[in-house]
Coordinates of all heavy atoms in Angstrom, one line a residue:
A1 N -2.0 -3.9 -10.3 CA -1.0 -3.3 -11.0 C -1.1 -3.8 -12.5 O -0.7 -3.0 -13.4 CB 0.4 -3.8 -10.4
M2 N -1.5 -5.1 -12.7 CA -1.7 -5.6 -14.0 C -2.7 -4.8 -14.8 O -2.7 -4.8 -16.0 CB -1.9 -7.1 -14.0 CG -0.7 -7.9 -13.6 SD -1.0 -9.7 -13.3 CE -2.5 -10.0 -14.2
N3 N -3.7 -4.3 -14.2 CA -4.8 -3.6 -14.8 C -4.7 -2.1 -14.7 O -5.7 -1.3 -14.5 CB -6.1 -4.1 -14.1 CG -6.3 -5.5 -14.5 OD1 -6.2 -6.0 -15.6 ND2 -6.8 -6.3 -13.5
R4 N -3.5 -1.6 -14.5 CA -3.3 -0.1 -14.4 C -4.0 0.7 -15.4 O -4.5 1.7 -15.1 CB -1.8 0.2 -14.4 CG -1.5 1.6 -14.2 CD 0.0 1.9 -13.9 NE 0.4 3.3 -14.0 CZ 0.0 4.3 -13.2 NH1 -0.8 4.0 -12.3 NH2 0.4 5.5 -13.5
D5 N -3.9 0.4 -16.7 CA -4.6 1.1 -17.8 C -6.1 1.2 -17.5 O -6.7 2.2 -17.7 CB -4.3 0.5 -19.1 CG -2.9 0.7 -19.4 OD1 -2.0 1.6 -19.0 OD2 -2.3 -0.2 -20.3
L6 N -6.7 0.1 -17.1 CA -8.2 0.2 -16.8 C -8.4 1.1 -15.6 O -9.3 1.8 -15.7 CB -8.6 -1.2 -16.5 CG -10.1 -1.4 -16.1 CD1 -11.0 -1.0 -17.3 CD2 -10.4 -2.8 -15.8
L7 N -7.6 1.0 -14.6 CA -7.9 1.8 -13.4 C -7.8 3.3 -13.8 O -8.5 4.1 -13.3 CB -6.9 1.6 -12.3 CG -7.1 0.3 -11.5 CD1 -5.9 0.0 -10.5 CD2 -8.4 0.4 -10.7
L8 N -6.8 3.6 -14.6 CA -6.6 5.1 -15.1 C -7.8 5.5 -15.9 O -8.3 6.7 -15.9 CB -5.3 5.2 -15.9 CG -4.0 5.0 -15.2 CD1 -2.8 5.1 -16.0 CD2 -3.9 6.2 -14.1
K9 N -8.4 4.6 -16.7 CA -9.6 5.0 -17.4 C -10.9 5.1 -16.5 O -11.6 6.0 -16.8 CB -9.9 3.9 -18.5 CG -8.8 3.9 -19.6 CD -9.2 2.8 -20.7 CE -8.1 2.8 -21.7 NZ -8.3 1.7 -22.6
L10 N -11.0 4.3 -15.5 CA -12.1 4.3 -14.7 C -12.0 5.4 -13.7 O -13.0 5.9 -13.2 CB -12.3 3.0 -13.9 CG -12.6 1.7 -14.8 CD1 -12.6 0.5 -14.0 CD2 -14.0 2.0 -15.4
K11 N -10.8 5.7 -13.3 CA -10.7 6.8 -12.3 C -11.5 6.6 -11.0 O -12.2 7.5 -10.7 CB -10.8 8.2 -12.9 CG -9.9 8.5 -14.0 CD -10.2 9.8 -14.6 CE -9.2 10.1 -15.8 NZ -9.6 11.3 -16.5
P12 N -11.4 5.5 -10.3 CA -12.2 5.3 -9.1 C -11.7 6.3 -8.0 O -10.5 6.7 -8.0 CB -11.9 3.9 -8.8 CG -10.6 3.6 -9.3 CD -10.5 4.4 -10.6
Q13 N -12.8 6.7 -7.2 CA -12.4 7.6 -6.1 C -11.8 6.8 -4.9 O -11.1 7.5 -4.1 CB -13.6 8.4 -5.6 CG -14.1 9.3 -6.7 CD -15.4 10.1 -6.2 OE1 -16.0 9.7 -5.2 NE2 -15.8 11.0 -7.0
A14 N -12.1 5.5 -4.8 CA -11.6 4.8 -3.8 C -11.1 3.3 -4.3 O -11.7 2.9 -5.2 CB -12.7 4.5 -2.7
I15 N -10.0 2.9 -3.7 CA -9.5 1.5 -4.1 C -9.4 0.8 -2.8 O -8.8 1.3 -1.8 CB -8.2 1.7 -4.8 CG1 -8.3 2.3 -6.2 CG2 -7.6 0.3 -5.0 CD1 -7.1 2.5 -7.0
L16 N -9.8 -0.5 -2.8 CA -9.7 -1.4 -1.6 C -8.7 -2.4 -2.1 O -8.9 -3.1 -3.0 CB -11.1 -2.1 -1.3 CG -11.1 -3.1 -0.3 CD1 -10.8 -2.5 1.1 CD2 -12.4 -3.9 -0.3
I17 N -7.7 -2.7 -1.3 CA -6.7 -3.7 -1.5 C -6.7 -4.6 -0.3 O -6.4 -4.2 0.8 CB -5.3 -3.1 -1.8 CG1 -5.3 -2.1 -3.0 CG2 -4.2 -4.1 -2.0 CD1 -4.0 -1.4 -3.1
E18 N -6.9 -5.9 -0.7 CA -7.0 -7.0 0.4 C -5.6 -7.7 0.4 O -4.9 -7.7 -0.7 CB -8.1 -7.9 0.1 CG -8.3 -8.9 1.2 CD -9.4 -9.8 0.9 OE1 -9.8 -10.0 -0.3 OE2 -10.0 -10.4 1.8
E19 N -5.2 -8.2 1.5 CA -3.9 -8.9 1.6 C -2.8 -8.1 1.2 O -1.8 -8.4 0.6 CB -4.0 -10.2 0.8 CG -4.9 -11.2 1.4 CD -4.8 -11.7 2.8 OE1 -3.6 -11.5 3.3 OE2 -5.7 -12.1 3.4
V20 N -2.8 -6.8 1.5 CA -1.7 -5.8 1.2 C -0.4 -6.1 1.8 O 0.6 -5.7 1.2 CB -2.2 -4.3 1.5 CG1 -2.1 -4.1 2.9 CG2 -1.4 -3.4 0.7
G21 N -0.4 -7.0 2.8 CA 0.9 -7.4 3.4 C 1.8 -8.2 2.5 O 2.9 -8.4 2.6
E22 N 1.2 -8.8 1.5 CA 1.8 -9.6 0.5 C 2.3 -8.9 -0.7 O 2.9 -9.5 -1.7 CB 0.9 -10.8 0.0 CG 0.6 -11.7 1.2 CD -0.3 -12.8 0.7 OE1 -0.2 -13.3 -0.4 OE2 -1.2 -13.3 1.4
L23 N 2.0 -7.6 -0.8 CA 2.4 -6.8 -2.0 C 3.5 -6.0 -1.9 O 3.9 -5.4 -0.8 CB 1.2 -5.9 -2.4 CG -0.2 -6.6 -2.7 CD1 -1.2 -5.5 -3.1 CD2 0.1 -7.5 -4.0
L24 N 4.3 -5.8 -2.9 CA 5.5 -4.8 -2.9 C 4.9 -3.5 -3.1 O 3.8 -3.2 -3.6 CB 6.4 -5.2 -4.1 CG 7.1 -6.5 -4.0 CD1 7.8 -6.7 -5.3 CD2 8.1 -6.5 -2.9
E25 N 5.7 -2.5 -2.7 CA 5.3 -1.0 -2.7 C 5.0 -0.6 -4.2 O 4.0 0.0 -4.4 CB 6.4 -0.2 -2.3 CG 6.6 -0.3 -0.8 CD 7.8 0.6 -0.2 OE1 7.9 1.7 -0.8 OE2 8.5 0.1 0.6
A26 N 5.8 -1.1 -5.1 CA 5.5 -0.8 -6.5 C 4.1 -1.3 -7.0 O 3.4 -0.7 -7.8 CB 6.6 -1.4 -7.4
Q27 N 3.7 -2.4 -6.5 CA 2.5 -3.0 -6.9 C 1.3 -2.1 -6.4 O 0.2 -1.9 -7.1 CB 2.3 -4.4 -6.4 CG 3.2 -5.3 -7.1 CD 3.2 -6.8 -6.4 OE1 3.3 -6.8 -5.2 NE2 3.1 -7.7 -7.2
V28 N 1.4 -1.5 -5.2 CA 0.4 -0.7 -4.7 C 0.5 0.7 -5.4 O -0.6 1.2 -5.8 CB 0.6 -0.5 -3.1 CG1 -0.4 0.6 -2.6 CG2 0.3 -1.8 -2.5
L29 N 1.6 1.2 -5.6 CA 1.7 2.6 -6.1 C 1.3 2.6 -7.6 O 0.8 3.5 -8.1 CB 3.2 3.0 -6.1 CG 3.8 3.2 -4.7 CD1 5.2 3.6 -4.8 CD2 3.0 4.4 -4.0
A30 N 1.3 1.4 -8.3 CA 0.9 1.4 -9.7 C -0.6 1.6 -9.8 O -1.1 2.0 -10.8 CB 1.2 0.0 -10.2
C31 N -1.3 1.3 -8.6 CA -2.8 1.4 -8.6 C -3.4 2.9 -8.4 O -4.5 3.2 -8.7 CB -3.5 0.6 -7.6 SG -3.1 -1.2 -7.8
L32 N -2.4 3.7 -8.0 CA -2.7 5.1 -7.6 C -2.9 6.0 -8.9 O -2.2 5.9 -9.9 CB -1.7 5.7 -6.7 CG -1.5 4.9 -5.4 CD1 -0.4 5.6 -4.6 CD2 -2.7 4.6 -4.6
H33 N -3.8 7.0 -8.8 CA -3.9 7.9 -9.8 C -4.3 9.3 -9.2 O -4.7 9.3 -8.0 CB -5.0 7.5 -10.9 CG -6.3 7.2 -10.3 ND1 -7.2 8.3 -10.1 CD2 -6.9 6.2 -9.8 CE1 -8.3 7.8 -9.5 NE2 -8.2 6.6 -9.4
P34 N -4.2 10.4 -9.9 CA -4.4 11.8 -9.3 C -5.8 12.0 -8.7 O -6.0 12.7 -7.8 CB -4.2 12.7 -10.5 CG -3.3 11.9 -11.5 CD -3.7 10.5 -11.3
E35 N -6.9 11.3 -9.3 CA -8.2 11.5 -8.8 C -8.6 10.6 -7.6 O -9.6 10.8 -7.0 CB -9.2 11.2 -9.9 CG -9.3 12.3 -11.0 CD -8.2 12.2 -12.0 OE1 -7.5 11.1 -12.1 OE2 -7.8 13.2 -12.6
L36 N -7.6 9.7 -7.2 CA -7.9 8.8 -6.1 C -8.0 9.7 -4.8 O -7.2 10.5 -4.5 CB -6.8 7.8 -5.9 CG -7.0 6.7 -4.9 CD1 -8.2 5.9 -5.3 CD2 -5.8 5.9 -4.7
Q37 N -9.2 9.4 -4.0 CA -9.4 10.1 -2.7 C -9.1 9.2 -1.5 O -8.8 9.6 -0.5 CB -10.8 10.6 -2.7 CG -11.1 11.7 -3.8 CD -12.4 12.1 -3.7 OE1 -13.2 11.9 -2.8 NE2 -12.9 12.9 -4.8
H38 N -9.4 7.9 -1.7 CA -9.3 6.9 -0.6 C -8.6 5.7 -1.0 O -8.9 5.0 -2.0 CB -10.6 6.6 0.0 CG -11.5 7.7 0.4 ND1 -11.3 8.4 1.6 CD2 -12.5 8.3 -0.2 CE1 -12.2 9.3 1.7 NE2 -12.9 9.3 0.6
L39 N -7.5 5.3 -0.2 CA -6.9 4.0 -0.4 C -7.0 3.1 0.9 O -6.6 3.6 1.9 CB -5.4 4.2 -0.7 CG -4.6 2.9 -0.8 CD1 -5.0 2.1 -2.1 CD2 -3.1 3.2 -1.0
I40 N -7.8 2.1 0.7 CA -8.1 1.3 1.9 C -7.3 0.0 1.8 O -7.4 -0.7 0.8 CB -9.6 0.9 1.9 CG1 -10.4 2.3 2.0 CG2 -9.9 0.1 3.2 CD1 -11.9 2.1 1.6
M41 N -6.3 -0.2 2.7 CA -5.5 -1.3 2.7 C -5.8 -2.3 3.9 O -5.9 -1.9 5.0 CB -4.1 -0.9 2.7 CG -3.6 -0.1 1.6 SD -1.8 0.2 1.6 CE -1.6 1.3 3.0
I42 N -6.1 -3.6 3.5 CA -6.5 -4.6 4.5 C -5.5 -5.7 4.6 O -5.1 -6.2 3.5 CB -7.9 -5.2 4.2 CG1 -8.9 -4.1 4.3 CG2 -8.2 -6.3 5.3 CD1 -10.3 -4.5 3.8
G43 N -5.0 -6.1 5.7 CA -4.1 -7.1 5.7 C -3.4 -7.3 7.1 O -3.7 -6.6 8.0
D44 N -2.4 -8.1 7.2 CA -1.7 -8.5 8.4 C -0.2 -8.4 8.1 O 0.2 -9.2 7.3 CB -2.1 -9.8 9.0 CG -1.4 -10.0 10.3 OD1 -0.5 -9.3 10.7 OD2 -1.8 -11.1 11.0
E45 N 0.5 -7.4 8.6 CA 1.9 -7.3 8.2 C 2.8 -8.4 8.8 O 3.9 -8.5 8.4 CB 2.4 -5.9 8.7 CG 2.8 -5.8 10.1 CD 1.7 -5.7 11.1 OE1 0.4 -5.7 10.7 OE2 2.0 -5.6 12.2
K46 N 2.2 -9.3 9.7 CA 3.0 -10.3 10.3 C 2.9 -11.7 9.6 O 3.4 -12.6 10.1 CB 2.7 -10.4 11.7 CG 3.1 -9.2 12.6 CD 4.5 -8.9 12.5 CE 4.8 -7.6 13.3 NZ 6.1 -7.2 13.2
Q47 N 2.0 -11.7 8.6 CA 1.8 -13.0 8.0 C 2.7 -13.1 6.7 O 3.9 -12.9 6.9 CB 0.3 -13.1 7.5 CG -0.6 -13.4 8.6 CD -2.0 -13.8 8.2 OE1 -2.5 -13.4 7.1 NE2 -2.7 -14.5 9.1
L48 N 2.2 -13.5 5.6 CA 3.0 -13.7 4.4 C 3.7 -12.3 3.9 O 3.0 -11.3 3.9 CB 2.2 -14.3 3.2 CG 1.7 -15.7 3.5 CD1 0.8 -16.1 2.4 CD2 2.7 -16.6 3.7
R49 N 4.8 -12.5 3.5 CA 5.6 -11.2 3.0 C 5.5 -11.3 1.5 O 5.2 -12.3 0.9 CB 7.1 -11.3 3.4 CG 7.2 -11.0 4.9 CD 8.7 -10.9 5.3 NE 8.8 -9.7 6.1 CZ 9.9 -9.3 6.6 NH1 11.1 -9.8 6.2 NH2 9.8 -8.3 7.5
P50 N 5.8 -10.2 0.8 CA 5.9 -10.2 -0.6 C 6.9 -11.2 -1.1 O 7.9 -11.4 -0.6 CB 6.3 -8.7 -0.9 CG 6.2 -7.9 0.3 CD 6.3 -8.9 1.4
K51 N 6.6 -11.7 -2.4 CA 7.5 -12.5 -3.0 C 8.3 -11.8 -3.9 O 7.9 -11.1 -4.8 CB 6.6 -13.7 -3.8 CG 5.9 -14.6 -2.9 CD 5.0 -15.5 -3.7 CE 4.1 -16.3 -2.8 NZ 2.9 -16.9 -3.3
V52 N 9.7 -12.0 -3.7 CA 10.6 -11.3 -4.5 C 11.5 -12.3 -5.2 O 12.1 -13.2 -4.6 CB 11.5 -10.4 -3.6 CG1 12.6 -9.6 -4.5 CG2 10.7 -9.4 -2.9
N53 N 11.7 -12.2 -6.5 CA 12.4 -13.2 -7.3 C 13.9 -12.9 -7.4 O 14.7 -13.7 -7.9 CB 11.9 -13.4 -8.7 CG 10.4 -13.9 -8.7 OD1 10.1 -14.7 -7.8 ND2 9.7 -13.4 -9.6
S54 N 14.4 -11.9 -6.7 CA 15.9 -11.5 -6.7 C 16.4 -11.6 -5.4 O 15.9 -10.7 -4.5 CB 16.0 -10.2 -7.4 OG 17.3 -9.7 -7.2
Y55 N 17.3 -12.4 -5.0 CA 17.9 -12.5 -3.7 C 18.5 -11.1 -3.3 O 18.4 -10.6 -2.2 CB 18.9 -13.6 -3.7 CG 19.6 -13.7 -2.3 CD1 19.0 -14.3 -1.2 CD2 20.8 -13.1 -2.1 CE1 19.6 -14.4 0.0 CE2 21.5 -13.1 -0.9 CZ 20.9 -13.8 0.2 OH 21.5 -13.9 1.4
R56 N 19.1 -10.5 -4.3 CA 19.9 -9.3 -4.2 C 18.9 -8.1 -3.7 O 19.2 -7.3 -2.8 CB 20.6 -8.9 -5.4 CG 21.5 -7.6 -5.2 CD 22.4 -7.4 -6.4 NE 23.2 -6.3 -6.2 CZ 23.2 -5.2 -6.9 NH1 22.6 -5.2 -8.0 NH2 23.9 -4.2 -6.7
L57 N 17.8 -8.0 -4.4 CA 16.8 -7.1 -4.2 C 16.2 -7.3 -2.7 O 16.0 -6.4 -2.0 CB 15.7 -7.0 -5.2 CG 16.1 -6.4 -6.6 CD1 14.9 -6.5 -7.5 CD2 16.5 -5.0 -6.4
E58 N 16.0 -8.6 -2.4 CA 15.3 -8.9 -1.2 C 16.2 -8.6 0.0 O 15.8 -8.0 0.9 CB 14.9 -10.4 -1.2 CG 14.2 -10.8 0.0 CD 13.7 -12.2 0.0 OE1 13.7 -12.9 -1.1 OE2 13.4 -12.9 1.1
K59 N 17.5 -9.0 -0.1 CA 18.3 -8.8 1.0 C 19.0 -7.5 1.2 O 19.3 -7.1 2.2 CB 19.4 -10.0 1.0 CG 18.8 -11.3 1.2 CD 18.1 -11.5 2.5 CE 17.4 -12.8 2.6 NZ 16.5 -13.0 3.8
H60 N 19.4 -6.9 0.0 CA 20.3 -5.8 0.1 C 19.5 -4.4 0.0 O 20.0 -3.4 0.3 CB 21.4 -5.8 -1.0 CG 22.4 -6.9 -0.9 ND1 23.2 -7.0 0.2 CD2 22.5 -8.0 -1.6 CE1 23.9 -8.1 0.0 NE2 23.5 -8.8 -1.0
F61 N 18.3 -4.6 -0.6 CA 17.4 -3.2 -0.7 C 16.1 -3.4 0.0 O 15.1 -2.7 -0.3 CB 17.3 -3.1 -2.3 CG 18.5 -2.8 -3.0 CD1 19.2 -3.8 -3.7 CD2 19.2 -1.5 -2.9 CE1 20.4 -3.6 -4.4 CE2 20.3 -1.3 -3.5 CZ 20.9 -2.3 -4.3
N62 N 15.9 -4.5 0.9 CA 14.7 -4.7 1.7 C 13.4 -4.6 0.9 O 12.3 -4.2 1.2 CB 14.6 -3.5 2.7 CG 15.6 -3.6 3.7 OD1 16.1 -4.6 4.1 ND2 16.2 -2.4 4.2
F63 N 13.4 -5.3 -0.3 CA 12.3 -5.5 -1.1 C 11.3 -6.5 -0.5 O 10.1 -6.5 -0.9 CB 12.7 -5.9 -2.5 CG 12.8 -4.8 -3.5 CD1 13.6 -3.7 -3.2 CD2 12.0 -4.8 -4.7 CE1 13.8 -2.7 -4.2 CE2 12.2 -3.8 -5.6 CZ 13.0 -2.7 -5.3
A64 N 11.7 -7.3 0.4 CA 10.7 -8.3 1.0 C 9.8 -7.6 2.1 O 9.1 -8.4 2.8 CB 11.6 -9.4 1.6
I65 N 9.9 -6.4 2.3 CA 9.1 -5.7 3.3 C 8.0 -5.1 2.4 O 8.2 -4.3 1.5 CB 9.9 -4.6 4.1 CG1 10.9 -5.4 4.8 CG2 9.0 -3.9 5.0 CD1 11.9 -4.4 5.5
S66 N 6.7 -5.3 2.9 CA 5.6 -4.8 2.2 C 5.4 -3.2 2.5 O 5.9 -2.8 3.6 CB 4.3 -5.5 2.5 OG 3.9 -5.3 3.8
I67 N 4.6 -2.5 1.8 CA 4.3 -1.2 2.1 C 3.5 -1.1 3.3 O 3.7 -0.1 4.1 CB 3.6 -0.5 0.8 CG1 3.4 0.9 1.1 CG2 2.2 -1.2 0.6 CD1 2.8 1.8 -0.1
F68 N 2.6 -2.0 3.6 CA 1.9 -2.1 4.8 C 2.8 -2.2 6.0 O 2.6 -1.5 7.0 CB 0.9 -3.4 4.7 CG -0.3 -3.2 5.5 CD1 -1.1 -2.1 5.5 CD2 -0.7 -4.2 6.3 CE1 -2.2 -1.9 6.2 CE2 -1.8 -4.1 7.1 CZ -2.6 -3.0 7.0
E69 N 3.8 -3.1 6.0 CA 4.7 -3.2 7.0 C 5.6 -2.0 7.3 O 5.7 -1.6 8.4 CB 5.6 -4.4 6.7 CG 6.5 -4.8 8.0 CD 7.2 -6.1 7.7 OE1 7.0 -6.8 6.7 OE2 8.1 -6.4 8.5
R70 N 5.9 -1.3 6.2 CA 6.7 0.0 6.3 C 5.9 1.0 6.9 O 6.3 1.9 7.8 CB 7.2 0.4 4.9 CG 8.3 -0.4 4.4 CD 8.8 0.3 3.1 NE 9.5 -0.6 2.3 CZ 10.7 -1.0 2.3 NH1 11.5 -0.5 3.3 NH2 11.3 -1.9 1.5
L71 N 4.6 1.2 6.6 CA 3.7 2.1 7.2 C 3.5 1.9 8.6 O 3.5 2.8 9.5 CB 2.3 2.1 6.4 CG 2.3 2.7 5.0 CD1 1.0 2.5 4.4 CD2 2.7 4.2 5.1
I72 N 3.2 0.7 9.1 CA 3.0 0.4 10.5 C 4.3 0.6 11.3 O 4.2 1.1 12.4 CB 2.5 -1.0 10.6 CG1 1.0 -1.1 10.1 CG2 2.5 -1.5 12.0 CD1 0.4 -2.4 9.9
E73 N 5.4 0.0 10.8 CA 6.7 0.1 11.7 C 7.2 1.5 11.7 O 8.0 1.9 12.5 CB 7.7 -0.9 11.2 CG 7.3 -2.3 11.4 CD 8.3 -3.3 11.0 OE1 9.3 -2.9 10.4 OE2 8.1 -4.5 11.2
G74 N 6.9 2.4 10.6 CA 7.4 3.7 10.6 C 6.6 4.7 11.4 O 7.0 5.8 11.5
G75 N 5.5 4.3 12.0 CA 4.7 5.1 12.8 C 3.7 6.0 12.0 O 3.2 6.9 12.5

């Protein structure tokens, strides 16, 4: 997510994200661009959760759940 501008310039067809269980949805979504064809996510949804610095966001808006965990639990 920190290198979003570089990713938009490079326009890779595939992105591999390791330890995706530790990332927030916004961090993964920031890596996406219109030319992307494959998003490969590797991780374990039962290990470390994303780090959220706001108690309110974590508890009241479910920010502590990773995109990986949402995908797996949502079927």
Side-chain angles (χ1 to χ4, degrees):
M2 291 177 15
N3 296 313
R4 179 169 167 64
D5 292 334
L6 178 60
L7 284 172
L8 290 175
K9 288 178 186 175
L10 292 174
K11 297 179 183 173
Q13 293 180 353
I15 293 179
L16 172 73
I17 302 176
E18 188 177 24
E19 298 298 341
V20 76
E22 296 179 32
L23 299 178
L24 294 170
E25 291 177 39
Q27 294 170 307
V28 175
L29 294 175
C31 299
L32 305 181
H33 60 84
E35 288 81 19
L36 186 67
Q37 296 178 14
H38 303 281
L39 176 63
I40 304 163
M41 298 187 295
I42 300 172
D44 184 348
E45 82 283 1
K46 298 297 181 191
Q47 285 189 336
L48 296 174
R49 289 188 139 186
K51 293 177 184 155
V52 181
N53 293 330
S54 168
Y55 178 81
R56 184 170 181 239
L57 289 176
E58 183 176 344
K59 296 300 177 188
H60 299 292
F61 297 100
N62 293 325
F63 265 54
I65 298 174
S66 72
I67 188 172
F68 204 49
E69 191 173 349
R70 286 186 203 275
L71 288 171
I72 289 172
E73 290 183 1

